[in-house]
PDB file of all heavy atoms in Angstrom:
ATOM      1  N   GLY A   9     116.602 167.986 210.881  1.00 98.00           N
ATOM      2  CA  GLY A   9     117.494 167.536 212.000  1.00 98.00           C
ATOM      3  C   GLY A   9     118.823 168.179 211.738  1.00 98.00           C
ATOM      4  O   GLY A   9     119.860 167.600 212.032  1.00 98.00           O
ATOM      5  N   ALA A  10     118.846 169.471 211.342  1.00 98.00           N
ATOM      6  CA  ALA A  10     120.080 170.111 210.854  1.00 98.00           C
ATOM      7  C   ALA A  10     121.046 170.398 211.997  1.00 98.00           C
ATOM      8  O   ALA A  10     122.226 170.655 211.783  1.00 98.00           O
ATOM      9  CB  ALA A  10     119.683 171.444 210.208  1.00 98.00           C
ATOM     10  N   THR A  11     120.550 170.401 213.250  1.00 98.00           N
ATOM     11  CA  THR A  11     121.451 170.734 214.389  1.00 98.00           C
ATOM     12  C   THR A  11     122.183 169.547 214.951  1.00 98.00           C
ATOM     13  O   THR A  11     123.059 169.738 215.823  1.00 98.00           O
ATOM     14  CB  THR A  11     120.574 171.391 215.537  1.00 98.00           C
ATOM     15  OG1 THR A  11     119.457 170.522 215.792  1.00 98.00           O
ATOM     16  CG2 THR A  11     120.044 172.747 215.119  1.00 98.00           C
ATOM     17  N   GLY A  12     121.840 168.312 214.589  1.00 96.00           N
ATOM     18  CA  GLY A  12     122.418 167.152 215.259  1.00 96.00           C
ATOM     19  C   GLY A  12     123.769 166.744 214.619  1.00 96.00           C
ATOM     20  O   GLY A  12     124.386 167.483 213.803  1.00 96.00           O
ATOM     21  N   ALA A  13     124.279 165.591 215.063  1.00 92.00           N
ATOM     22  CA  ALA A  13     125.623 165.106 214.674  1.00 92.00           C
ATOM     23  C   ALA A  13     125.656 164.938 213.192  1.00 92.00           C
ATOM     24  O   ALA A  13     126.632 165.394 212.486  1.00 92.00           O
ATOM     25  CB  ALA A  13     125.927 163.782 215.324  1.00 92.00           C
ATOM     26  N   VAL A  14     124.715 164.320 212.562  1.00 95.00           N
ATOM     27  CA  VAL A  14     124.659 164.060 211.114  1.00 95.00           C
ATOM     28  C   VAL A  14     124.260 165.359 210.411  1.00 95.00           C
ATOM     29  O   VAL A  14     124.825 165.713 209.369  1.00 95.00           O
ATOM     30  CB  VAL A  14     123.676 162.946 210.769  1.00 95.00           C
ATOM     31  CG1 VAL A  14     123.628 162.741 209.250  1.00 95.00           C
ATOM     32  CG2 VAL A  14     124.130 161.601 211.434  1.00 95.00           C
ATOM     33  N   GLY A  15     123.326 166.091 210.985  1.00 97.00           N
ATOM     34  CA  GLY A  15     122.868 167.356 210.367  1.00 97.00           C
ATOM     35  C   GLY A  15     124.046 168.327 210.205  1.00 97.00           C
ATOM     36  O   GLY A  15     124.178 168.987 209.156  1.00 97.00           O
ATOM     37  N   ALA A  35     114.584 171.599 212.823  1.00 98.00           N
ATOM     38  CA  ALA A  35     114.978 170.760 213.952  1.00 98.00           C
ATOM     39  C   ALA A  35     113.738 170.683 214.833  1.00 98.00           C
ATOM     40  O   ALA A  35     112.589 170.761 214.342  1.00 98.00           O
ATOM     41  CB  ALA A  35     116.151 171.436 214.664  1.00 98.00           C
ATOM     42  N   SER A  36     113.963 170.486 216.135  1.00 98.00           N
ATOM     43  CA  SER A  36     112.828 170.300 217.058  1.00 98.00           C
ATOM     44  C   SER A  36     112.231 171.636 217.385  1.00 98.00           C
ATOM     45  O   SER A  36     112.774 172.708 217.087  1.00 98.00           O
ATOM     46  CB  SER A  36     113.283 169.529 218.304  1.00 98.00           C
ATOM     47  OG  SER A  36     114.007 170.456 219.114  1.00 98.00           O
ATOM     48  N   SER A  38     112.309 173.067 220.160  1.00 97.00           N
ATOM     49  CA  SER A  38     113.191 173.920 221.027  1.00 97.00           C
ATOM     50  C   SER A  38     114.213 174.709 220.191  1.00 97.00           C
ATOM     51  O   SER A  38     114.744 175.721 220.685  1.00 97.00           O
ATOM     52  CB  SER A  38     113.818 173.031 222.048  1.00 97.00           C
ATOM     53  OG  SER A  38     114.705 172.154 221.495  1.00 97.00           O
ATOM     54  N   SER A  39     114.456 174.301 218.925  1.00 98.00           N
ATOM     55  CA  SER A  39     115.434 175.047 218.196  1.00 98.00           C
ATOM     56  C   SER A  39     114.685 176.027 217.182  1.00 98.00           C
ATOM     57  O   SER A  39     115.285 176.960 216.667  1.00 98.00           O
ATOM     58  CB  SER A  39     116.222 174.090 217.270  1.00 98.00           C
ATOM     59  OG  SER A  39     116.975 173.229 218.088  1.00 98.00           O
ATOM     60  N   THR A  68     109.943 171.131 212.032  1.00 98.00           N
ATOM     61  CA  THR A  68     110.094 170.143 210.922  1.00 98.00           C
ATOM     62  C   THR A  68     108.705 169.807 210.377  1.00 98.00           C
ATOM     63  O   THR A  68     108.042 168.891 210.797  1.00 98.00           O
ATOM     64  CB  THR A  68     110.836 168.908 211.508  1.00 98.00           C
ATOM     65  OG1 THR A  68     112.084 169.297 211.969  1.00 98.00           O
ATOM     66  CG2 THR A  68     111.001 167.850 210.427  1.00 98.00           C
ATOM     67  N   SER A  83     117.943 163.839 208.707  1.00 97.00           N
ATOM     68  CA  SER A  83     118.764 163.179 209.728  1.00 97.00           C
ATOM     69  C   SER A  83     118.075 163.330 211.068  1.00 97.00           C
ATOM     70  O   SER A  83     118.566 163.879 212.039  1.00 97.00           O
ATOM     71  CB  SER A  83     120.170 163.785 209.780  1.00 97.00           C
ATOM     72  OG  SER A  83     120.135 165.163 209.973  1.00 97.00           O
ATOM     73  N   LEU A  84     116.803 162.848 211.100  1.00 98.00           N
ATOM     74  CA  LEU A  84     115.938 162.841 212.300  1.00 98.00           C
ATOM     75  C   LEU A  84     116.098 161.569 213.063  1.00 98.00           C
ATOM     76  O   LEU A  84     116.326 160.545 212.496  1.00 98.00           O
ATOM     77  CB  LEU A  84     114.528 163.093 211.914  1.00 98.00           C
ATOM     78  CG  LEU A  84     114.229 164.396 211.218  1.00 98.00           C
ATOM     79  CD1 LEU A  84     112.839 164.315 210.498  1.00 98.00           C
ATOM     80  CD2 LEU A  84     114.176 165.597 212.180  1.00 98.00           C
ATOM     81  N   PRO A  85     115.797 161.623 214.413  1.00 97.00           N
ATOM     82  CA  PRO A  85     115.631 160.296 215.123  1.00 97.00           C
ATOM     83  C   PRO A  85     114.578 159.518 214.362  1.00 97.00           C
ATOM     84  O   PRO A  85     113.577 160.062 213.840  1.00 97.00           O
ATOM     85  CB  PRO A  85     115.094 160.750 216.497  1.00 97.00           C
ATOM     86  CG  PRO A  85     115.618 162.190 216.669  1.00 97.00           C
ATOM     87  CD  PRO A  85     115.553 162.757 215.227  1.00 97.00           C
ATOM     88  N   SER A  86     114.736 158.131 214.353  1.00 97.00           N
ATOM     89  CA  SER A  86     113.855 157.373 213.474  1.00 97.00           C
ATOM     90  C   SER A  86     112.397 157.493 213.801  1.00 97.00           C
ATOM     91  O   SER A  86     111.514 157.461 212.910  1.00 97.00           O
ATOM     92  CB  SER A  86     114.326 155.920 213.451  1.00 97.00           C
ATOM     93  OG  SER A  86     114.401 155.413 214.754  1.00 97.00           O
ATOM     94  N   VAL A  88     110.891 160.113 214.870  1.00 98.00           N
ATOM     95  CA  VAL A  88     110.430 161.386 214.282  1.00 98.00           C
ATOM     96  C   VAL A  88     110.381 161.259 212.752  1.00 98.00           C
ATOM     97  O   VAL A  88     109.391 161.659 212.153  1.00 98.00           O
ATOM     98  CB  VAL A  88     111.351 162.516 214.745  1.00 98.00           C
ATOM     99  CG1 VAL A  88     110.780 163.841 214.149  1.00 98.00           C
ATOM    100  CG2 VAL A  88     111.467 162.642 216.177  1.00 98.00           C
ATOM    101  N   ASN A 106     118.645 159.481 206.302  1.00 96.00           N
ATOM    102  CA  ASN A 106     119.526 158.627 207.143  1.00 96.00           C
ATOM    103  C   ASN A 106     118.818 157.827 208.140  1.00 96.00           C
ATOM    104  O   ASN A 106     119.351 156.892 208.726  1.00 96.00           O
ATOM    105  CB  ASN A 106     120.355 159.598 208.025  1.00 96.00           C
ATOM    106  CG  ASN A 106     121.651 159.890 207.370  1.00 96.00           C
ATOM    107  OD1 ASN A 106     122.514 159.111 207.365  1.00 96.00           O
ATOM    108  ND2 ASN A 106     121.681 161.110 206.827  1.00 96.00           N
ATOM    109  N   SER A 107     117.591 158.172 208.450  1.00 97.00           N
ATOM    110  CA  SER A 107     116.855 157.540 209.577  1.00 97.00           C
ATOM    111  C   SER A 107     116.482 156.069 209.224  1.00 97.00           C
ATOM    112  O   SER A 107     116.205 155.795 208.043  1.00 97.00           O
ATOM    113  CB  SER A 107     115.598 158.342 209.925  1.00 97.00           C
ATOM    114  OG  SER A 107     115.978 159.723 210.003  1.00 97.00           O
ATOM    115  N   SER A 108     116.399 155.276 210.246  1.00 97.00           N
ATOM    116  CA  SER A 108     116.195 153.819 209.932  1.00 97.00           C
ATOM    117  C   SER A 108     114.772 153.491 209.604  1.00 97.00           C
ATOM    118  O   SER A 108     114.525 152.386 208.975  1.00 97.00           O
ATOM    119  CB  SER A 108     116.662 152.992 211.119  1.00 97.00           C
ATOM    120  OG  SER A 108     115.952 153.330 212.286  1.00 97.00           O
ATOM    121  N   ARG A 111     113.514 151.694 206.114  1.00 98.00           N
ATOM    122  CA  ARG A 111     114.656 151.179 205.295  1.00 98.00           C
ATOM    123  C   ARG A 111     114.320 149.869 204.691  1.00 98.00           C
ATOM    124  O   ARG A 111     114.795 149.571 203.536  1.00 98.00           O
ATOM    125  CB  ARG A 111     115.911 151.062 206.107  1.00 98.00           C
ATOM    126  CG  ARG A 111     116.704 152.307 206.318  1.00 98.00           C
ATOM    127  CD  ARG A 111     117.996 151.992 207.014  1.00 98.00           C
ATOM    128  NE  ARG A 111     118.656 153.224 207.506  1.00 98.00           N
ATOM    129  CZ  ARG A 111     119.331 153.326 208.664  1.00 98.00           C
ATOM    130  NH1 ARG A 111     119.524 152.180 209.394  1.00 98.00           N
ATOM    131  NH2 ARG A 111     119.861 154.402 209.070  1.00 98.00           N
ATOM    132  N   ASN A 149     122.330 151.964 207.604  1.00 98.00           N
ATOM    133  CA  ASN A 149     122.965 152.261 208.892  1.00 98.00           C
ATOM    134  C   ASN A 149     124.533 152.383 208.634  1.00 98.00           C
ATOM    135  O   ASN A 149     125.124 151.768 207.772  1.00 98.00           O
ATOM    136  CB  ASN A 149     122.680 151.020 209.778  1.00 98.00           C
ATOM    137  CG  ASN A 149     123.459 151.022 211.023  1.00 98.00           C
ATOM    138  OD1 ASN A 149     124.576 150.499 211.106  1.00 98.00           O
ATOM    139  ND2 ASN A 149     122.886 151.538 212.048  1.00 98.00           N
ATOM    140  N   CYS A 150     125.111 153.231 209.492  1.00 98.00           N
ATOM    141  CA  CYS A 150     126.627 153.496 209.350  1.00 98.00           C
ATOM    142  C   CYS A 150     127.447 152.287 209.379  1.00 98.00           C
ATOM    143  O   CYS A 150     128.500 152.186 208.648  1.00 98.00           O
ATOM    144  CB  CYS A 150     127.015 154.534 210.373  1.00 98.00           C
ATOM    145  SG  CYS A 150     126.381 154.243 212.051  1.00 98.00           S
ATOM    146  N   SER A 179     130.292 159.042 218.165  1.00 95.00           N
ATOM    147  CA  SER A 179     129.453 159.992 217.358  1.00 95.00           C
ATOM    148  C   SER A 179     128.284 159.257 216.687  1.00 95.00           C
ATOM    149  O   SER A 179     127.319 159.841 216.266  1.00 95.00           O
ATOM    150  CB  SER A 179     130.257 160.723 216.310  1.00 95.00           C
ATOM    151  OG  SER A 179     130.889 159.800 215.443  1.00 95.00           O
ATOM    152  N   GLY A 180     128.415 157.929 216.551  1.00 95.00           N
ATOM    153  CA  GLY A 180     127.320 157.075 215.925  1.00 95.00           C
ATOM    154  C   GLY A 180     126.038 157.141 216.731  1.00 95.00           C
ATOM    155  O   GLY A 180     124.979 156.807 216.282  1.00 95.00           O
ATOM    156  N   ALA A 181     126.205 157.489 218.046  1.00 94.00           N
ATOM    157  CA  ALA A 181     125.013 157.543 218.919  1.00 94.00           C
ATOM    158  C   ALA A 181     124.324 158.821 218.941  1.00 94.00           C
ATOM    159  O   ALA A 181     123.391 159.039 219.638  1.00 94.00           O
ATOM    160  CB  ALA A 181     125.430 157.062 220.318  1.00 94.00           C
ATOM    161  N   GLY A 182     124.835 159.803 218.186  1.00 89.00           N
ATOM    162  CA  GLY A 182     124.231 161.140 218.163  1.00 89.00           C
ATOM    163  C   GLY A 182     124.833 161.938 219.312  1.00 89.00           C
ATOM    164  O   GLY A 182     125.531 161.408 220.229  1.00 89.00           O
ATOM    165  N   TYR A 183     124.570 163.259 219.387  1.00 85.00           N
ATOM    166  CA  TYR A 183     125.208 164.120 220.347  1.00 85.00           C
ATOM    167  C   TYR A 183     124.794 163.828 221.771  1.00 85.00           C
ATOM    168  O   TYR A 183     125.593 164.047 222.685  1.00 85.00           O
ATOM    169  CB  TYR A 183     124.944 165.605 220.042  1.00 85.00           C
ATOM    170  CG  TYR A 183     125.839 166.051 218.901  1.00 85.00           C
ATOM    171  CD1 TYR A 183     125.465 167.058 218.010  1.00 85.00           C
ATOM    172  CD2 TYR A 183     127.113 165.487 218.742  1.00 85.00           C
ATOM    173  CE1 TYR A 183     126.277 167.470 216.977  1.00 85.00           C
ATOM    174  CE2 TYR A 183     127.954 165.899 217.698  1.00 85.00           C
ATOM    175  CZ  TYR A 183     127.538 166.863 216.877  1.00 85.00           C
ATOM    176  OH  TYR A 183     128.359 167.292 215.811  1.00 85.00           O
ATOM    177  N   ASP A 184     123.608 163.305 222.016  1.00 88.00           N
ATOM    178  CA  ASP A 184     123.195 163.092 223.360  1.00 88.00           C
ATOM    179  C   ASP A 184     123.213 161.578 223.674  1.00 88.00           C
ATOM    180  O   ASP A 184     122.643 161.091 224.638  1.00 88.00           O
ATOM    181  CB  ASP A 184     121.814 163.617 223.641  1.00 88.00           C
ATOM    182  CG  ASP A 184     121.753 165.175 223.465  1.00 88.00           C
ATOM    183  OD1 ASP A 184     122.792 165.741 223.808  1.00 88.00           O
ATOM    184  OD2 ASP A 184     120.754 165.661 222.941  1.00 88.00           O
ATOM    185  N   ASN A 322     131.916 157.183 210.194  1.00 97.00           N
ATOM    186  CA  ASN A 322     130.482 156.926 210.306  1.00 97.00           C
ATOM    187  C   ASN A 322     129.608 158.099 210.103  1.00 97.00           C
ATOM    188  O   ASN A 322     128.435 157.937 209.601  1.00 97.00           O
ATOM    189  CB  ASN A 322     130.195 156.357 211.746  1.00 97.00           C
ATOM    190  CG  ASN A 322     130.724 157.258 212.818  1.00 97.00           C
ATOM    191  OD1 ASN A 322     131.988 157.393 212.921  1.00 97.00           O
ATOM    192  ND2 ASN A 322     129.861 157.805 213.653  1.00 97.00           N
ATOM    193  N   THR A 323     130.069 159.345 210.356  1.00 96.00           N
ATOM    194  CA  THR A 323     129.137 160.452 210.052  1.00 96.00           C
ATOM    195  C   THR A 323     129.300 161.008 208.688  1.00 96.00           C
ATOM    196  O   THR A 323     128.475 161.745 208.149  1.00 96.00           O
ATOM    197  CB  THR A 323     129.252 161.587 211.118  1.00 96.00           C
ATOM    198  OG1 THR A 323     130.602 162.082 211.211  1.00 96.00           O
ATOM    199  CG2 THR A 323     128.822 161.113 212.487  1.00 96.00           C
ATOM    200  N   GLY A 326     129.298 157.043 206.357  1.00 98.00           N
ATOM    201  CA  GLY A 326     128.206 156.239 207.049  1.00 98.00           C
ATOM    202  C   GLY A 326     126.885 157.027 207.250  1.00 98.00           C
ATOM    203  O   GLY A 326     125.911 156.395 207.593  1.00 98.00           O
ATOM    204  N   ALA A 327     126.834 158.319 206.921  1.00 98.00           N
ATOM    205  CA  ALA A 327     125.637 159.071 207.221  1.00 98.00           C
ATOM    206  C   ALA A 327     125.447 160.263 206.233  1.00 98.00           C
ATOM    207  O   ALA A 327     124.943 160.059 205.129  1.00 98.00           O
ATOM    208  CB  ALA A 327     125.608 159.491 208.659  1.00 98.00           C
TER     209      ALA A 327
HETATM  210  N1  NAP B   1     125.505 159.538 214.033  1.00 79.16           N
HETATM  211  C1  NAP B   1     125.723 158.667 213.083  1.00 79.16           C
HETATM  212  O1  NAP B   1     126.815 158.239 212.740  1.00 79.16           O
HETATM  213  C2  NAP B   1     124.581 158.130 212.238  1.00 79.16           C
HETATM  214  C3  NAP B   1     124.838 157.262 211.157  1.00 79.16           C
HETATM  215  C4  NAP B   1     123.833 156.782 210.375  1.00 79.16           C
HETATM  216  C5  NAP B   1     122.511 157.126 210.646  1.00 79.16           C
HETATM  217  N2  NAP B   1     122.203 157.910 211.712  1.00 79.16           N
HETATM  218  C6  NAP B   1     120.847 158.242 211.922  1.00 79.16           C
HETATM  219  O2  NAP B   1     120.636 159.630 211.639  1.00 79.16           O
HETATM  220  C7  NAP B   1     119.673 160.182 212.461  1.00 79.16           C
HETATM  221  C8  NAP B   1     120.200 161.435 213.171  1.00 79.16           C
HETATM  222  O3  NAP B   1     121.294 161.006 214.047  1.00 79.16           O
HETATM  223  P1  NAP B   1     122.196 162.022 214.844  1.00 79.16           P
HETATM  224  O4  NAP B   1     123.295 161.149 215.295  1.00 79.16           O
HETATM  225  O5  NAP B   1     122.477 163.204 214.002  1.00 79.16           O
HETATM  226  O6  NAP B   1     121.190 162.397 216.073  1.00 79.16           O
HETATM  227  P2  NAP B   1     121.297 163.723 216.982  1.00 79.16           P
HETATM  228  O7  NAP B   1     122.702 164.248 217.105  1.00 79.16           O
HETATM  229  O8  NAP B   1     120.549 163.340 218.262  1.00 79.16           O
HETATM  230  O9  NAP B   1     120.394 164.861 216.178  1.00 79.16           O
HETATM  231  C9  NAP B   1     118.971 164.745 216.099  1.00 79.16           C
HETATM  232  C10 NAP B   1     118.388 165.852 215.289  1.00 79.16           C
HETATM  233  O10 NAP B   1     116.995 165.701 215.136  1.00 79.16           O
HETATM  234  C11 NAP B   1     116.294 166.850 215.729  1.00 79.16           C
HETATM  235  N3  NAP B   1     115.087 166.403 216.463  1.00 79.16           N
HETATM  236  C12 NAP B   1     115.029 165.596 217.597  1.00 79.16           C
HETATM  237  N4  NAP B   1     113.728 165.475 217.907  1.00 79.16           N
HETATM  238  C13 NAP B   1     112.980 166.108 217.045  1.00 79.16           C
HETATM  239  C14 NAP B   1     111.558 166.294 216.844  1.00 79.16           C
HETATM  240  N5  NAP B   1     110.676 165.783 217.657  1.00 79.16           N
HETATM  241  N6  NAP B   1     111.178 166.996 215.744  1.00 79.16           N
HETATM  242  C15 NAP B   1     112.049 167.587 214.871  1.00 79.16           C
HETATM  243  N7  NAP B   1     113.422 167.432 215.008  1.00 79.16           N
HETATM  244  C16 NAP B   1     113.915 166.714 216.081  1.00 79.16           C
HETATM  245  C17 NAP B   1     117.361 167.442 216.701  1.00 79.16           C
HETATM  246  O11 NAP B   1     116.996 168.860 216.803  1.00 79.16           O
HETATM  247  P3  NAP B   1     117.250 169.690 218.203  1.00 79.16           P
HETATM  248  O12 NAP B   1     118.737 170.078 218.206  1.00 79.16           O
HETATM  249  O13 NAP B   1     116.325 170.849 218.110  1.00 79.16           O
HETATM  250  O14 NAP B   1     116.914 168.758 219.328  1.00 79.16           O
HETATM  251  C18 NAP B   1     118.644 167.248 215.891  1.00 79.16           C
HETATM  252  O15 NAP B   1     118.691 168.204 214.873  1.00 79.16           O
HETATM  253  C19 NAP B   1     119.181 159.098 213.392  1.00 79.16           C
HETATM  254  O16 NAP B   1     118.060 158.471 212.857  1.00 79.16           O
HETATM  255  C20 NAP B   1     120.374 158.137 213.392  1.00 79.16           C
HETATM  256  O17 NAP B   1     119.963 156.816 213.699  1.00 79.16           O
HETATM  257  C21 NAP B   1     123.266 158.450 212.496  1.00 79.16           C
END
Side-chain angles (χ1 to χ4, degrees):
T11 51
V14 178
S36 74
S38 65
S39 298
T68 301
S83 56
L84 295 165
S86 54
V88 183
N106 267 285
S107 312
S108 60
R111 275 187 198 146
N149 171 272
C150 41
S179 61
Y183 281 151
D184 299 324
N322 54 295
T323 56

